[in-house]
Amino acid sequence: MPPKLKDLQKQCKAARLDQTGKVADLVQRLKDHNARKERSPGDQEDPKCDAILLTQSKVSSEEDTKRDARDAFGQALEEEELEVKMVMGELYVGNPRGLGLAG
């Protein structure tokens, strides 16, 4: 018997994953999540994490936006406490405002 949408949504919610989409989407999302949980850091090509910067900026040139983002990133690293938060089944590290944008 194929999985039911409501059951898959409950599983996604329990895993803190996005609960929207069709049955096939949720099945794949859960498979991907379980595969990530099963891999150890040694199984990954590069066990280091990737870094992204989320920022809100005034509309300006691309160079100005990049400069403002670098400044904000540096300031956050120097002055703010970093937090760890689960967002759609993935762990994110950042300052509270950035994590709010990631969510």
Side-chain angles (χ1 to χ4, degrees):
M1 177 179 221
K4 298 195 184 242
L5 182 62
K6 291 285 184 195
D7 294 332
L8 293 169
Q9 288 172 327
K10 286 180 185 177
Q11 291 177 42
C12 285
K13 183 176 182 177
R16 300 179 127 188
L17 299 171
D18 182 13
Q19 303 162 45
T20 61
K22 297 178 182 178
V23 168
D25 299 328
L26 300 182
V27 167
Q28 188 61 50
R29 191 170 299 134
L30 287 163
K31 282 182 183 178
D32 292 345
H33 174 71
N34 290 331
R36 281 191 302 271
K37 283 189 342 186
E38 292 172 4
R39 279 186 285 171
S40 69
D43 294 338
Q44 300 174 12
E45 290 179 24
D46 183 357
K48 297 177 185 171
C49 65
D50 292 324
I52 61 170
L53 170 64
L54 296 170
T55 184
Q56 289 179 320
S57 181
K58 299 178 220 104
V59 177
S60 59
S61 72
E62 185 175 327
E63 288 305 313
D64 288 344
T65 301
K66 286 180 184 178
R67 185 191 67 244
D68 292 346
R70 278 190 204 101
D71 292 345
F73 189 61
Q75 182 179 1
L77 289 175
E78 288 178 18
E79 298 174 9
E80 296 185 41
E81 185 72 27
L82 296 178
E83 297 177 6
V84 177
K85 182 177 180 182
M86 184 73 75
V87 178
M88 293 176 60
E90 298 287 337
L91 283 178
Y92 285 82
V93 178
N95 66 345
R97 270 189 31 218
L99 289 171
L101 291 171

